[in-house]
Tab-separated table of all heavy atoms in Angstrom:
chain	number	residue	atom	x	y	z
P	20	GLY	N	-7.489	8.974	-8.216
P	20	GLY	CA	-6.540	8.232	-9.040
P	20	GLY	C	-6.127	6.922	-8.399
P	20	GLY	O	-5.955	5.902	-9.082
P	21	MET	N	-5.951	6.918	-7.066
P	21	MET	CA	-5.587	5.679	-6.367
P	21	MET	C	-6.670	4.624	-6.542
P	21	MET	O	-6.367	3.448	-6.830
P	21	MET	CB	-5.366	5.969	-4.887
P	21	MET	CG	-4.115	6.776	-4.585
P	21	MET	SD	-3.988	7.256	-2.831
P	21	MET	CE	-3.765	5.658	-2.052
P	22	ARG	N	-7.914	5.026	-6.388
P	22	ARG	CA	-9.015	4.067	-6.532
P	22	ARG	C	-9.059	3.491	-7.946
P	22	ARG	O	-9.243	2.283	-8.143
P	22	ARG	CB	-10.342	4.745	-6.190
P	22	ARG	CG	-10.534	5.038	-4.709
P	22	ARG	CD	-11.925	5.577	-4.429
P	22	ARG	NE	-12.190	5.661	-2.995
P	22	ARG	CZ	-12.016	6.757	-2.272
P	22	ARG	NH1	-11.603	7.878	-2.859
P	22	ARG	NH2	-12.259	6.746	-0.972
P	23	LEU	N	-8.899	4.347	-8.934
P	23	LEU	CA	-8.962	3.884	-10.318
P	23	LEU	C	-7.719	3.086	-10.712
P	23	LEU	O	-7.759	2.272	-11.636
P	23	LEU	CB	-9.145	5.079	-11.258
P	23	LEU	CG	-10.472	5.835	-11.084
P	23	LEU	CD1	-10.496	7.085	-11.952
P	23	LEU	CD2	-11.647	4.923	-11.431
P	24	LEU	N	-6.627	3.315	-9.994
P	24	LEU	CA	-5.396	2.574	-10.261
P	24	LEU	C	-5.390	1.218	-9.547
P	24	LEU	O	-4.663	0.302	-9.935
P	24	LEU	CB	-4.194	3.410	-9.806
P	24	LEU	CG	-2.798	3.035	-10.283
P	24	LEU	CD1	-2.729	2.957	-11.801
P	24	LEU	CD2	-1.789	4.047	-9.764
P	25	GLY	N	-6.210	1.120	-8.489
P	25	GLY	CA	-6.308	-0.143	-7.780
P	25	GLY	C	-5.414	-0.248	-6.568
P	25	GLY	O	-5.013	-1.352	-6.180
P	26	VAL	N	-5.075	0.901	-5.945
P	26	VAL	CA	-4.256	0.875	-4.735
P	26	VAL	C	-4.996	1.616	-3.621
P	26	VAL	O	-5.768	2.537	-3.882
P	26	VAL	CB	-2.868	1.513	-4.956
P	26	VAL	CG1	-2.101	0.769	-6.022
P	26	VAL	CG2	-2.986	2.995	-5.330
P	27	THR	N	-4.759	1.203	-2.406
P	27	THR	CA	-5.425	1.836	-1.265
P	27	THR	C	-4.444	2.544	-0.340
P	27	THR	O	-4.854	3.224	0.580
P	27	THR	CB	-6.201	0.789	-0.452
P	27	THR	OG1	-5.286	-0.225	-0.001
P	27	THR	CG2	-7.297	0.146	-1.299
P	28	ASN	N	-3.152	2.383	-0.586
P	28	ASN	CA	-2.119	2.986	0.244
P	28	ASN	C	-0.970	3.407	-0.656
P	28	ASN	O	-0.622	2.699	-1.608
P	28	ASN	CB	-1.643	1.988	1.303
P	28	ASN	CG	-0.746	2.630	2.335
P	28	ASN	OD1	0.388	3.000	2.053
P	28	ASN	ND2	-1.258	2.785	3.554
P	29	LEU	N	-0.347	4.540	-0.365
P	29	LEU	CA	0.735	5.040	-1.208
P	29	LEU	C	1.911	4.078	-1.254
P	29	LEU	O	2.634	4.027	-2.257
P	29	LEU	CB	1.205	6.414	-0.709
P	29	LEU	CG	0.170	7.547	-0.752
P	29	LEU	CD1	0.768	8.828	-0.180
P	29	LEU	CD2	-0.319	7.783	-2.178
P	30	ASP	N	2.113	3.315	-0.201
P	30	ASP	CA	3.226	2.367	-0.183
P	30	ASP	C	3.056	1.249	-1.209
P	30	ASP	O	4.020	0.557	-1.544
P	30	ASP	CB	3.375	1.751	1.214
P	30	ASP	CG	3.901	2.751	2.232
P	30	ASP	OD1	4.549	3.732	1.820
P	30	ASP	OD2	3.656	2.558	3.445
P	31	GLN	N	1.842	1.050	-1.694
P	31	GLN	CA	1.608	0.005	-2.695
P	31	GLN	C	2.079	0.418	-4.085
P	31	GLN	O	2.220	-0.423	-4.971
P	31	GLN	CB	0.118	-0.330	-2.743
P	31	GLN	CG	-0.426	-0.920	-1.451
P	31	GLN	CD	-1.934	-1.040	-1.463
P	31	GLN	OE1	-2.596	-0.733	-2.448
P	31	GLN	NE2	-2.496	-1.472	-0.345
P	32	LEU	N	2.314	1.715	-4.281
P	32	LEU	CA	2.739	2.190	-5.603
P	32	LEU	C	4.156	1.721	-5.908
P	32	LEU	O	5.017	1.677	-5.036
P	32	LEU	CB	2.685	3.716	-5.652
P	32	LEU	CG	1.297	4.344	-5.624
P	32	LEU	CD1	1.395	5.844	-5.397
P	32	LEU	CD2	0.557	4.051	-6.935
P	33	GLY	N	4.398	1.381	-7.163
P	33	GLY	CA	5.718	0.961	-7.600
P	33	GLY	C	5.811	1.042	-9.108
P	33	GLY	O	4.818	1.332	-9.799
P	34	PRO	N	6.992	0.774	-9.684
P	34	PRO	CA	7.187	0.880	-11.128
P	34	PRO	C	6.240	-0.006	-11.937
P	34	PRO	O	5.983	0.281	-13.123
P	34	PRO	CB	8.641	0.441	-11.314
P	34	PRO	CG	9.295	0.661	-9.999
P	34	PRO	CD	8.234	0.407	-8.978
P	35	GLU	N	5.704	-1.059	-11.310
P	35	GLU	CA	4.807	-1.958	-12.050
P	35	GLU	C	3.483	-1.278	-12.406
P	35	GLU	O	2.722	-1.804	-13.231
P	35	GLU	CB	4.548	-3.224	-11.235
P	35	GLU	CG	3.767	-3.022	-9.939
P	35	GLU	CD	4.638	-2.672	-8.754
P	35	GLU	OE1	5.818	-2.287	-8.966
P	35	GLU	OE2	4.133	-2.775	-7.607
P	36	TYR	N	3.216	-0.116	-11.814
P	36	TYR	CA	1.960	0.579	-12.107
P	36	TYR	C	2.076	1.604	-13.227
P	36	TYR	O	1.100	2.273	-13.563
P	36	TYR	CB	1.432	1.274	-10.849
P	36	TYR	CG	0.773	0.318	-9.880
P	36	TYR	CD1	1.485	-0.231	-8.818
P	36	TYR	CD2	-0.553	-0.056	-10.051
P	36	TYR	CE1	0.886	-1.118	-7.940
P	36	TYR	CE2	-1.170	-0.942	-9.179
P	36	TYR	CZ	-0.439	-1.475	-8.123
P	36	TYR	OH	-1.038	-2.354	-7.257
P	37	VAL	N	3.275	1.735	-13.805
P	37	VAL	CA	3.446	2.714	-14.883
P	37	VAL	C	4.172	2.089	-16.055
P	37	VAL	O	4.892	1.092	-15.922
P	37	VAL	CB	4.224	3.954	-14.399
P	37	VAL	CG1	3.418	4.729	-13.372
P	37	VAL	CG2	5.591	3.584	-13.849
P	38	ASP	N	3.968	2.677	-17.202
P	38	ASP	CA	4.641	2.271	-18.430
P	38	ASP	C	5.277	3.523	-19.024
P	38	ASP	O	4.596	4.547	-19.196
P	38	ASP	CB	3.631	1.664	-19.410
P	38	ASP	CG	4.299	1.061	-20.625
P	38	ASP	OD1	5.500	0.757	-20.553
P	38	ASP	OD2	3.608	0.902	-21.651
P	39	ILE	N	6.574	3.458	-19.341
P	39	ILE	CA	7.301	4.629	-19.823
P	39	ILE	C	7.416	4.566	-21.339
P	39	ILE	O	8.022	3.649	-21.895
P	39	ILE	CB	8.712	4.715	-19.199
P	39	ILE	CG1	8.645	4.526	-17.683
P	39	ILE	CG2	9.363	6.035	-19.572
P	39	ILE	CD1	7.831	5.562	-16.973
P	40	LEU	N	6.843	5.532	-22.020
P	40	LEU	CA	6.946	5.621	-23.474
P	40	LEU	C	8.284	6.250	-23.857
P	40	LEU	O	8.929	6.909	-23.042
P	40	LEU	CB	5.793	6.456	-24.025
P	40	LEU	CG	4.379	5.961	-23.689
P	40	LEU	CD1	3.344	6.888	-24.312
P	40	LEU	CD2	4.174	4.532	-24.154
P	41	PRO	N	8.723	6.074	-25.097
P	41	PRO	CA	10.005	6.664	-25.521
P	41	PRO	C	9.996	8.179	-25.359
P	41	PRO	O	8.968	8.837	-25.529
P	41	PRO	CB	10.103	6.264	-27.003
P	41	PRO	CG	9.243	5.050	-27.124
P	41	PRO	CD	8.112	5.257	-26.168
P	42	ARG	N	11.164	8.707	-25.024
P	42	ARG	CA	11.276	10.157	-24.853
P	42	ARG	C	11.199	10.840	-26.214
P	42	ARG	O	11.839	10.428	-27.182
P	42	ARG	CB	12.590	10.511	-24.169
P	42	ARG	CG	12.720	12.001	-23.841
P	42	ARG	CD	14.057	12.348	-23.229
P	42	ARG	NE	14.286	11.697	-21.951
P	42	ARG	CZ	15.317	11.974	-21.162
P	42	ARG	NH1	16.202	12.884	-21.516
P	42	ARG	NH2	15.451	11.329	-20.011
P	43	MET	N	10.419	11.898	-26.287
P	43	MET	CA	10.258	12.678	-27.512
P	43	MET	C	10.926	14.040	-27.333
P	43	MET	O	10.980	14.574	-26.220
P	43	MET	CB	8.777	12.874	-27.829
P	43	MET	CG	8.019	11.579	-28.057
P	43	MET	SD	8.589	10.708	-29.532
P	43	MET	CE	7.991	11.829	-30.802
P	44	PRO	N	11.435	14.625	-28.433
P	44	PRO	CA	12.018	15.971	-28.318
P	44	PRO	C	10.966	16.963	-27.832
P	44	PRO	O	9.792	16.856	-28.195
P	44	PRO	CB	12.462	16.294	-29.753
P	44	PRO	CG	12.541	14.974	-30.446
P	44	PRO	CD	11.499	14.102	-29.808
P	45	PRO	N	11.354	17.912	-27.016
P	45	PRO	CA	10.383	18.916	-26.543
P	45	PRO	C	9.955	19.825	-27.677
P	45	PRO	O	10.657	19.956	-28.686
P	45	PRO	CB	11.163	19.681	-25.473
P	45	PRO	CG	12.598	19.535	-25.873
P	45	PRO	CD	12.699	18.151	-26.473
P	46	PRO	N	8.809	20.468	-27.559
P	46	PRO	CA	8.358	21.426	-28.570
P	46	PRO	C	9.226	22.672	-28.511
P	46	PRO	O	8.982	23.597	-27.729
P	46	PRO	CB	6.908	21.708	-28.158
P	46	PRO	CG	6.876	21.447	-26.686
P	46	PRO	CD	7.867	20.353	-26.432
P	47	LEU	N	10.250	22.729	-29.353
P	47	LEU	CA	11.297	23.731	-29.196
P	47	LEU	C	10.792	25.158	-29.321
P	47	LEU	O	11.129	26.026	-28.526
P	47	LEU	CB	12.408	23.489	-30.232
P	47	LEU	CG	13.108	22.134	-30.150
P	47	LEU	CD1	14.247	22.069	-31.147
P	47	LEU	CD2	13.627	21.873	-28.745
P	48	TYR	N	9.996	25.431	-30.335
P	48	TYR	CA	9.617	26.819	-30.578
P	48	TYR	C	8.117	27.029	-30.511
P	48	TYR	O	7.597	27.992	-31.044
P	48	TYR	CB	10.162	27.281	-31.940
P	48	TYR	CG	11.665	27.251	-31.977
P	48	TYR	CD1	12.347	26.278	-32.691
P	48	TYR	CD2	12.406	28.181	-31.243
P	48	TYR	CE1	13.727	26.243	-32.705
P	48	TYR	CE2	13.790	28.143	-31.240
P	48	TYR	CZ	14.444	27.183	-31.986
P	48	TYR	OH	15.814	27.141	-31.982
P	49	ALA	N	7.434	26.112	-29.866
P	49	ALA	CA	5.986	26.284	-29.700
P	49	ALA	C	5.731	27.468	-28.778
P	49	ALA	O	6.552	27.831	-27.948
P	49	ALA	CB	5.368	25.021	-29.113
P	50	GLN	N	4.588	28.082	-28.951
P	50	GLN	CA	4.204	29.164	-28.066
P	50	GLN	C	4.016	28.617	-26.650
P	50	GLN	O	3.638	27.468	-26.465
P	50	GLN	CB	2.897	29.810	-28.539
P	50	GLN	CG	3.043	30.580	-29.838
P	50	GLN	CD	3.988	31.761	-29.687
P	50	GLN	OE1	3.917	32.507	-28.723
P	50	GLN	NE2	4.899	31.906	-30.635
P	51	PRO	N	4.315	29.434	-25.635
P	51	PRO	CA	4.082	28.978	-24.260
P	51	PRO	C	2.654	28.504	-24.082
P	51	PRO	O	1.723	29.066	-24.648
P	51	PRO	CB	4.360	30.235	-23.416
P	51	PRO	CG	5.267	31.062	-24.276
P	51	PRO	CD	4.834	30.790	-25.692
P	52	ARG	N	2.494	27.436	-23.300
P	52	ARG	CA	1.176	26.880	-23.070
P	52	ARG	C	0.276	27.904	-22.411
P	52	ARG	O	0.629	28.537	-21.429
P	52	ARG	CB	1.295	25.651	-22.166
P	52	ARG	CG	-0.035	25.008	-21.818
P	52	ARG	CD	0.178	23.908	-20.785
P	52	ARG	NE	0.767	24.421	-19.575
P	52	ARG	CZ	0.090	25.026	-18.607
P	52	ARG	NH1	-1.216	25.202	-18.735
P	52	ARG	NH2	0.696	25.471	-17.537
């Protein structure tokens, strides 16, 4: 994942590497996965 993300050290990771989608309600009564 680091290689495909374009980082070589964990210290390089930061919020700029992720995008947060809107929170959705959890599947309330779905069967357990």
Side-chain angles (χ1 to χ4, degrees):
M21 290 174 67
R22 288 186 171 95
L23 295 174
L24 195 55
V26 299
T27 58
N28 190 290
L29 297 178
D30 289 337
Q31 296 171 3
L32 291 169
E35 66 273 16
Y36 283 95
V37 294
D38 187 21
I39 312 299
L40 302 180
R42 185 183 297 188
M43 299 295 291
L47 300 185
Y48 297 107
Q50 291 296 315
R52 178 187 60 81

